[in-house]
Amino acid sequence: MKYTEITVRYGELSTKGKNRREFIGRLNGNVTKALAAFPDLHIYPKRDRMHISLNGTDSDAVIAKLSQVFGIQNFSPSIKIEKDIEQMKTTALQMLQEQVPEAKTFKIDTRRSDHDFELDTNQINLLLGDAVYDNIPELTAKMKHPDVTLRVEVRRDAIYLSSRTIKGAGGLPVGTAGKAMLMLSGGIDSPVAGYLAMKRGVEIEMVHFFSPPYTSERALAKAKQLTAKLAPYVGTIKFIEVPFTEIQEEVKRIVPEGYLMTVQRRFMLRLAVKLAEQRKGLAIFNGESVGQVASQTLESMVAINDVTNMPIIRPVATMDKTEIISIAEKIDTFDLSIMPFEDCCTIFAPPRPKTKPNLEKSRFYESMFDGEALMARSLAGVKVTEIHSHDEFLATDQIDIQSVL
Ligand code: ATP
Ligand code: MG
């Protein structure tokens, strides 16, 4: 079918009464960004729906982009026709005919906002139902849970017909919940944490620590490529690279091996908090999962979390690795995440980190050097770039999955 419009239904809006205007405004902005590649579209955000006129644009391409935008419950590609009964009948039959033989049962669901139209909703339901009965013998009417529902909307300007409802990404429009920093490594967990943060309406900026020459350009490129994978949900994402070499070398020189990891993590968190403060972020998100590795025991979280009161949100905290992986596969970050590039933590990882670090000791070892000066130098070297979904930093065909598994 050559669709002419898309009707978008908002998600979770009913519970957000007085924030409705902000919700719709953000969603409009995010949809406009997500569909920027299609110049002929017209987007009309209304109080209860959003209408997109395609103006000749291919609907499949638009649907693919739209299904990644958070804050949309579902949407229906539709056809706009003149307010003519014959034309309505022909188009309705064509639309339903396309769904045969997969669909066996149908229902007509008419709404009318133009009360001057010559037929009322019941009359239209009956008229079209009869037409289907006469012309498409494969379909029988069924009021509850039909295979296909043909929606007819009689509005002032025209009649709109649709027969497909496509599930949206759900969640809240990105930005409605404020801004936060995501600590993004090159691993599996943190990109998933970022996706889940955005799903709840949080605008995220990526904070990535790297340690040249111990970590390669390719490890940095991998983190950027992961960011590009998450960009379609918002349009663009800021990527903040933070040089971490000097801090790691200094920590390694001074701190006993069992506390290397804890003290490094305390510095990472402090730097992320400083960046959040500078950039008006309200919280830190990370990819920690309880009990997954030594740095993710509750004792470890106590010792690391000690450096700040800023909320630290761990969206994958209670998920099993297999649950995290299935989301990573769904959002297409998994294959990238398992590329075997060393990151700054693995290189300086002690063979036997303390799984139950002591808070007082962590503070004590840290007092042995000038952390403020080290952090100031690291922050002076920060670089911020804006990443788009089509940006290329790494060719994914470099992935040799067999060598990794
Ligand atoms: P991931 O799969 O996200 O790398 P992980 O299971 O490997 O997580 P860790 O290496 O212990 O776990 O890291 C825990 C969290 O610390 C990460 O999820 C991420 O949020 C943060 N982190 C680790 N390394 C970095 C880094 N180089 N830059 C920014 N954040 C990092
Ligand atoms: Mg990791």
Side-chain angles (χ1 to χ4, degrees):
M1 289 256 66
K2 180 90 182 118
Y3 295 108
T4 59
E5 340 274 310
I6 296 179
T7 301
V8 176
R9 296 176 194 87
Y10 304 138
E12 275 196 46
L13 187 52
S14 51
T15 56
K16 302 275 179 293
K18 66 177 192 292
N19 298 330
R20 180 180 279 261
R21 228 176 335 145
E22 200 210 334
F23 183 113
I24 296 172
R26 280 282 178 182
L27 185 63
N28 182 29
N30 294 348
V31 167
T32 305
K33 264 196 272 176
L35 302 180
F38 310 108
D40 296 330
L41 302 180
H42 281 286
I43 301 170
Y44 305 96
K46 302 270 172 63
R47 206 174 167 282
D48 55 345
R49 311 273 180 91
M50 179 183 285
H51 294 292
I52 302 175
S53 323
L54 292 169
N55 293 318
T57 311
D58 172 45
S59 58
D60 288 342
V62 175
I63 287 170
K65 292 266 181 215
L66 205 55
S67 54
Q68 290 188 304
V69 179
F70 292 121
I72 295 178
Q73 190 180 352
N74 59 48
F75 54 93
S76 301
S78 56
I79 297 183
K80 178 179 178 177
I81 54 166
E82 277 166 37
K83 289 164 91 170
D84 173 89
I85 292 173
E86 270 318 300
Q87 207 180 332
M88 175 171 74
K89 223 157 83 175
T90 332
T91 313
L93 288 174
Q94 274 172 8
M95 278 184 131
L96 287 173
Q97 187 71 57
E98 271 198 354
Q99 310 259 1
V100 173
E102 292 79 21
K104 304 209 165 13
T105 55
F106 80 100
K107 171 184 169 178
I108 311 283
D109 179 6
T110 306
R111 280 159 207 233
R112 192 175 70 143
S113 54
D114 174 8
H115 295 282
D116 299 330
F117 189 64
E118 55 198 287
L119 301 178
D120 69 16
T121 51
N122 278 335
Q123 288 168 322
I124 296 174
N125 286 342
L126 278 177
L127 175 99
L128 295 180
D130 283 348
V132 178
Y133 182 80
D134 292 340
N135 293 283
I136 314 180
E138 298 90 336
L139 284 176
T140 43
K142 185 166 177 241
M143 291 305 108
K144 274 197 182 150
H145 311 299
D147 297 333
V148 48
T149 300
L150 182 82
R151 295 178 204 274
V152 182
E153 287 194 32
V154 184
R155 291 191 223 144
R156 289 261 164 230
D157 62 328
I159 295 178
Y160 296 80
L161 298 171
S162 66
S163 63
R164 286 168 66 201
T165 300
I166 299 166
K167 201 164 174 285
L172 300 170
V174 176
T176 49
K179 183 160 98 174
M181 304 290 126
L182 171 75
M183 297 175 67
L184 178 78
S185 66
I188 297 169
D189 306 324
S190 43
V192 171
Y195 165 80
L196 294 171
M198 290 194 284
K199 186 159 193 237
R200 293 311 299 162
V202 180
E203 177 192 349
I204 50 170
E205 293 188 348
M206 305 307 198
V207 175
H208 177 74
F209 298 94
F210 74 116
S211 298
Y214 307 105
T215 62
S216 67
E217 281 299 314
R218 293 208 320 175
L220 181 64
K222 174 182 171 185
K224 290 187 179 172
Q225 194 71 59
L226 284 167
T227 304
K229 284 277 182 205
L230 295 177
Y233 299 99
V234 259
T236 61
I237 298 181
K238 299 232 167 61
F239 184 90
I240 306 166
E241 42 190 276
V242 188
F244 203 57
T245 314
E246 196 193 354
I247 294 180
Q248 281 191 306
E249 285 175 342
E250 200 57 11
V251 172
K252 178 133 171 96
R253 199 168 64 82
I254 293 174
V255 175
E257 206 175 77
Y259 279 80
L260 275 181
M261 195 254 333
T262 310
V263 174
Q264 277 180 50
R265 294 293 164 128
R266 284 166 62 94
F267 274 105
M268 278 192 183
L269 185 55
R270 275 200 192 91
L271 287 164
V273 168
K274 281 200 191 293
L275 287 163
E277 285 164 357
Q278 283 173 11
R279 306 176 64 82
K280 301 196 166 54
L282 298 170
I284 306 290
F285 280 73
N286 70 24
E288 287 175 336
S289 167
V290 177
Q292 199 185 81
V293 289
S295 59
Q296 298 173 20
T297 61
L298 293 181
E299 287 84 355
S300 227
M301 286 182 194
V302 169
I304 297 167
N305 218 149
D306 174 55
V307 303
T308 184
N309 311 324
M310 188 176 268
I312 301 180
I313 301 179
R314 302 171 174 89
V316 303
T318 60
M319 288 186 195
D320 295 345
K321 196 77 192 184
T322 50
E323 292 171 308
I324 301 173
I325 288 175
S326 78
I327 300 179
E329 283 171 335
K330 186 176 97 180
I331 62 174
D332 196 27
T333 53
F334 182 71
D335 288 352
L336 260 169
S337 288
I338 59 173
M339 290 172 93
F341 301 151
E342 70 296 343
D343 75 25
C344 68
C345 304
T346 38
I347 287 215
F348 284 87
R352 278 179 305 280
K354 281 237 176 297
T355 52
K356 297 186 177 178
N358 175 287
L359 178 56
E360 294 306 326
K361 283 192 187 162
S362 316
R363 288 179 181 163
F364 170 72
Y365 293 130
E366 233 172 57
S367 69
M368 291 161 49
F369 51 93
D370 187 358
E372 285 302 321
L374 284 170
M375 289 202 294
R377 282 198 289 280
S378 166
L379 287 171
V382 157
K383 207 172 127 198
V384 183
T385 43
E386 181 137 4
I387 294 185
H388 299 79
S389 55
H390 51 259
D391 287 341
E392 292 280 347
F393 302 96
L394 261 187
T396 29
D397 58 14
Q398 292 175 357
I399 307 175
D400 177 3
I401 294 176
Q402 283 316 315
S403 73
V404 189
L405 293 179

